[in-house]
Amino acid sequence: MAKILFCAALSLAVFCSLVNAQCKEANGTYPVSGSCDSYIECKNGVAEEKLCPDGLLFNEKSTGYPCAYPIDVECTQPQARLQAAQPTDDCPHQFGYYRMGDETHCGQFKNCASGRGYVFDCPEGLAWNKDTYKCDWPDQVPDCDAEKFLGFQCPAVVPRSALLGEQEEEYHFYPSNENCQVYFICIEGRPRRIACGEDQAFNQEINACDDIENVSTCSADIRQRGLDIKKARVDLRGR
């Protein structure tokens, strides 16, 4: 019995010495071999293995809290996580950002914190990009159908004649049929929605936003509202 206790104590001592050997300095955090979401925390030279919250990974470059979102972590370990997911009714993991909707409804995302989901909207015309954790042009988001999401289909473009020395246009501009203060840019057959300022509208003659008084396609009420906003801004600057 004494021999067994001695062996157990020896094994524990060897394990502790191996863990503590990972302390390069008396205080700090260090990666665990073969894992991306666990780490060694050293305090006064004593090491303790810890686990990041579900959905976060150990960030070796951090000078503060050692766990971060996967997009901010460069982990080349064989396995991405050590722990199993801890989903809730709101979230697939305790922490993380996740897109809501399908390829035709790409403008919302959910921020999960401690298993609770908080829903956010991207600015109008932009889609959530899960690869960058940012709201982006929908044509730059692989899992978003830009045309269905924006409700605008880019017309087919007639190729220009190479014999006449005409070069292909890189972008094509189209007014919105519903709002004179909005237009679409088609890039490689996929649209981007652009909104003008409140006192501006899309001018097809210059393919850009212009003073609303220079655009004849706006309805009378939109035009008047734009003029009123422009006048109010001029009055404000004059004070």
Side-chain angles (χ1 to χ4, degrees):
M1 182 67 178
K3 184 176 182 180
I4 294 176
L5 291 175
F6 174 77
C7 290
L10 180 61
S11 298
L12 181 61
V14 171
F15 172 77
C16 291
S17 63
L18 289 174
V19 172
N20 292 332
Q22 297 184 59
C23 293
K24 299 177 182 178
E25 297 182 6
N27 297 287
T29 55
Y30 306 97
V32 173
S33 178
S35 174
C36 285
D37 62 356
S38 57
Y39 60 98
I40 299 295
E41 182 180 61
C42 296
K43 290 185 177 180
N44 299 320
V46 178
E48 180 182 358
E49 185 170 335
K50 293 191 173 182
L51 196 60
C52 287
D54 172 40
L56 302 182
L57 302 180
F58 173 62
N59 186 2
E60 192 172 355
K61 297 180 180 179
S62 175
T63 56
Y65 184 63
C67 300
Y69 292 111
I71 193 172
D72 298 320
V73 176
E74 296 179 7
C75 183
T76 58
Q77 300 285 2
Q79 62 188 67
R81 290 186 175 86
L82 180 66
Q83 61 188 312
Q86 301 170 32
T88 65
D89 291 339
D90 284 346
C91 302
H93 291 279
Q94 290 290 308
F95 288 85
Y97 285 88
Y98 306 96
R99 195 194 78 183
M100 301 182 65
D102 57 18
E103 63 179 6
T104 65
H105 299 84
C106 323
Q108 284 188 320
F109 63 96
K110 181 183 292 185
N111 177 16
C112 290
S114 298
R116 184 174 179 181
Y118 301 88
V119 179
F120 295 88
D121 294 313
C122 287
E124 191 168 4
L126 299 185
W128 175 252
N129 192 331
K130 63 181 178 61
D131 296 329
T132 61
Y133 281 31
K134 295 178 181 179
C135 293
D136 204 348
W137 298 114
D139 62 284
Q140 298 297 304
V141 179
D143 54 0
C144 182
D145 188 320
E147 293 189 338
K148 291 181 179 179
F149 171 57
L150 296 176
F152 180 84
Q153 185 172 0
C154 291
V157 178
V158 178
R160 294 195 172 193
S161 173
L163 296 176
L164 298 177
E166 296 177 333
Q167 295 182 347
E168 289 289 339
E169 293 180 346
E170 188 175 0
Y171 309 119
H172 299 273
F173 300 82
Y174 302 97
S176 168
N177 293 326
E178 301 176 355
N179 189 340
C180 67
Q181 295 182 298
V182 170
Y183 66 99
F184 296 93
I185 297 179
C186 287
I187 303 174
E188 297 182 351
R190 303 184 71 192
R192 294 182 181 181
R193 182 188 185 277
I194 310 295
C196 298
E198 292 179 309
D199 59 347
Q200 294 185 323
F202 177 63
N203 190 333
Q204 289 183 258
E205 295 182 4
I206 61 174
N207 281 336
C209 294
D210 197 0
D211 287 342
I212 202 164
E213 59 193 84
N214 298 330
V215 181
S216 60
T217 56
C218 288
S219 63
D221 59 331
I222 292 180
R223 180 183 176 86
Q224 187 58 53
R225 184 186 64 186
L227 292 173
D228 291 342
I229 291 174
K230 182 178 180 180
K231 182 178 183 304
R233 288 176 175 170
V234 172
D235 292 343
L236 186 61
R237 288 196 294 268
R239 291 181 181 178

